[in-house]
């Protein structure tokens, strides 16, 4: 006899919820390529880790990657953006104390000159920010983030979104 409740039967939602609770959870991060009018790339320097980073951060529970990015840009930099274009997603294998995660990168566009010049951190997590020419920006990023940023920049230029594994085309 099958003890699995069929659709519409009592107990079906509880059965599905039990299965859902046992499935793996993926952490998700979302970062942005933000540029000034000369094409320089915006980087932030977070207090809680080594090195520079693209603006963005981790999604909260049940938050979509694009909404997580909009929230992070608003909280950390005071930026509001309605237009995001997907560039790539990167599956990053477990490393150090961390489980695997999915890292999304979106194009958040070019800031108007006045807005770019007045941009400053709005959150204590960010010690400083800066616009850097692309080669310098890539040099400042840690290797894992650099590989993902390079792929995102290629997607920005050729219009072809990418699926990555550890920063490289899979």
């Amino acid at each position: 006899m099958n003890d699995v409740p069929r659709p519409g039967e009592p107990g079906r939602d509880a059965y599905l919820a039990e299965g859902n609770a046992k499935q793996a959870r993926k952490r998700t991060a979302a970062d942005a390529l933000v540029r000034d009018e000369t094409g320089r790339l915006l980087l932030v320097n977070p207090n809680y880790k080594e090195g520079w980073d693209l603006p963005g951060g981790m999604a909260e529970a049940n938050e979509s990657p694009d909404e997580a990015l909009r929230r992070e840009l608003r909280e950390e930099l005071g930026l509001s953006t309605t237009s995001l274009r997907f560039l790539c997603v990167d599956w990053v294998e477990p490393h150090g104390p961390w489980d695997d995660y999915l890292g999304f990168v979106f194009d958040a566009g070019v800031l108007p000159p006045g807005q770019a010049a007045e941009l400053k951190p709005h959150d204590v997590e960010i010690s400083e920010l800066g616009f850097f020419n692309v080669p310098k920006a890539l040099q400042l990023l840690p290797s894992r983030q650099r590989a993902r940023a390079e792929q995102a920049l290629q997607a920005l230029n050729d219009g072809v979104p990418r699926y990555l594994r550890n920063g490289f085309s899979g």
Side-chain angles (χ1 to χ4, degrees):
M1 183 170 175
N2 189 351
D3 292 333
V4 176
R6 300 188 47 75
E9 291 181 348
R12 176 71 174 179
D13 284 348
Y15 169 78
L16 294 175
E18 181 181 343
N20 181 62
K22 293 177 182 177
Q23 293 179 4
R25 302 278 188 241
K26 294 279 187 217
R27 292 180 308 124
T28 303
D31 294 329
L33 297 185
V34 178
R35 293 154 335 271
D36 68 6
E37 75 283 358
T38 66
R40 296 180 304 164
L41 198 57
L42 174 64
L43 298 183
V44 295
N45 194 350
N47 299 333
Y48 56 88
K49 62 182 178 180
E50 289 288 320
W52 290 84
D53 206 349
L54 292 172
M58 300 303 293
E60 296 176 354
N62 300 313
E63 183 178 43
S64 68
D66 59 320
E67 286 303 316
L69 181 56
R70 285 185 180 94
R71 177 184 49 75
E72 290 284 349
L73 291 173
R74 191 173 49 256
E75 290 174 0
E76 294 181 350
L77 302 171
L79 285 176
S80 293
T81 182
T82 55
S83 176
L84 294 174
R85 184 168 60 110
F86 171 75
L87 298 173
C88 65
V89 62
D90 186 13
W91 176 79
V92 179
E93 68 186 0
H95 56 283
W98 301 107
D99 290 335
D100 67 333
Y101 75 94
L102 296 171
F104 290 78
V105 181
F106 294 89
D107 174 22
V110 177
L111 297 180
Q115 188 177 18
E118 294 175 10
L119 197 61
K120 63 181 187 287
H122 280 70
D123 189 302
V124 296
E125 289 183 355
I126 306 299
S127 63
E128 60 185 319
L129 59 82
F131 286 92
F132 302 92
N133 65 47
V134 170
K136 179 65 175 176
L138 292 173
Q139 180 184 18
L140 290 170
L141 292 172
S143 61
R144 178 168 294 158
Q145 185 72 355
R146 181 181 320 119
R148 185 178 312 133
E150 288 171 337
Q151 294 286 332
L153 286 163
Q154 288 179 11
L156 180 67
N157 290 331
D158 65 22
V160 179
R162 286 165 170 72
Y163 169 70
L164 311 173
R165 293 173 56 104
N166 298 305
F168 299 96
S169 293

